[in-house]
Amino acid sequence: MAGLPITSSVVVSKALDLEPDGVAATWHSLCSLCGLEIKPGDLCAPFKVGAGFTDDLSLAARGSGHICGYCSPLLTESGLRCSWRGAFGWDDAKPFGKWVEITNALMNPPEPPFVMVYATANNQHMGWRAPVNYSRDVFRVRVGLRDLLIRRQVVIDAVRACRVLGTAPGMDLTGLTNKETLPHPFARLSSDLKDIDHGRLSGRLRSKQFIEARGDAEIAALDLIKCLSLGETWALRFVLTPNAGKSSTVTAE
């Protein structure tokens, strides 16, 4: 890693053991996709897109006309397939497909620098336009077209707050949520954020029974839940699943 400029494409390609591809550059340029500096002798390729390319607003260096050798393999069919979802560290890639895998990666991110991506559509370009993270405690995940902020300790605290609220008087959500989901106060949580009601709190929080019975614990829990970022409510969709409450997965530090 020493001396090597870092962009998301560099991290993802390294994690997947993808060799840089292209021809030797003859002049200085920037990668249109990830923004990596291309020096004479570095591998690069021409950048041309058709009318169907819809990611132009994500380009790091519009008008450059070149892409770096690390982006090239990520644009192939196999590259798109292996980089559409994952937690990519400098040396390896953690699986990011099953909900328990996503929970484990969110609660135990790779050593920095790392990149996390979760595609919400087929053939979605993820690797080259994701943020690079340098902290395991506060980081961003590329989810579809969004970069989501996640504070790891806040998510851990939110699991406890969800349990307090989800089991409070008047908050029996057994008939509203999947029986495999841990108690929580949300009416909707979406894994791909395509549900417009994602993050909406249950109307039962306004019930007479809950209001009359709530104490300091419930008030503090609700205050925390109301301050969650979109990324943190997205993370809860996975963390609030079977095995997510075990100490080996979610632990306070």
Side-chain angles (χ1 to χ4, degrees):
M1 182 172 64
L4 182 63
I6 296 174
T7 67
S8 57
S9 292
V10 174
V11 174
V12 174
S13 292
K14 286 285 186 181
L16 295 172
D17 291 324
L18 299 176
E19 292 295 329
D21 188 25
V23 297
T26 57
W27 60 82
H28 278 89
S29 184
L30 293 176
C31 177
S32 293
L33 298 179
C34 73
L36 183 70
E37 180 183 8
I38 301 173
K39 301 176 182 178
D42 292 344
L43 295 180
C44 68
F47 178 61
K48 296 180 180 180
V49 296
F53 185 78
T54 59
D55 297 322
D56 57 298
L57 293 180
S58 297
L59 297 178
R62 301 179 71 178
S64 162
H66 295 86
I67 60 174
C68 68
Y70 293 97
C71 280
S72 291
L74 297 180
L75 300 185
T76 65
E77 182 178 351
S78 61
L80 286 171
R81 187 170 57 249
C82 64
S83 65
W84 79 311
R85 290 180 181 175
F88 304 103
W90 195 253
D91 298 319
D92 64 352
K94 288 187 175 186
F96 210 64
K98 297 179 181 179
W99 285 17
V100 67
E101 295 171 344
I102 297 172
T103 294
N104 288 333
L106 292 174
M107 295 296 94
N108 300 285
E111 288 296 324
F114 67 89
V115 170
M116 285 189 183
V117 296
Y118 185 88
T120 58
N122 294 328
N123 298 318
Q124 200 166 35
H125 290 240
M126 300 299 292
W128 58 265
R129 57 181 182 172
V132 178
N133 295 293
Y134 296 91
S135 169
R136 301 177 74 236
D137 297 314
V138 181
F139 54 89
R140 294 184 183 273
V141 182
R142 181 79 182 191
V143 178
L145 302 179
R146 300 176 175 91
D147 292 331
L148 304 183
L149 173 68
I150 294 178
R151 297 164 292 177
R152 190 162 61 107
Q153 187 60 50
V154 171
V155 175
I156 293 172
D157 294 340
V159 173
R160 301 190 185 105
C162 283
R163 188 183 300 276
V164 169
L165 294 173
T167 58
M171 289 294 293
D172 181 9
L173 303 180
T174 304
L176 301 179
T177 60
N178 188 305
K179 64 181 180 180
E180 297 179 347
T181 301
L182 296 176
H184 66 75
F186 295 99
R188 294 284 189 278
L189 288 173
S190 170
S191 61
D192 58 14
L193 299 180
K194 293 181 180 180
D195 188 335
I196 194 172
D197 286 330
H198 167 81
R200 181 169 64 85
L201 293 173
S202 169
R204 298 193 180 194
L205 290 169
R206 298 189 297 271
S207 70
K208 180 178 179 181
Q209 185 179 4
F210 173 78
I211 292 174
E212 290 180 347
R214 67 183 178 183
D216 291 343
E218 287 77 18
I219 293 173
L222 187 56
D223 286 344
L224 187 152
I225 293 298
K226 288 180 177 179
C227 292
L228 295 178
S229 70
L230 176 61
E232 288 150 4
T233 58
W234 174 80
L236 286 176
R237 173 65 284 174
F238 307 101
V239 177
L240 293 172
T241 51
N243 302 317
K246 291 185 177 180
S247 59
S248 60
T249 303
V250 181
T251 57
E253 294 182 353

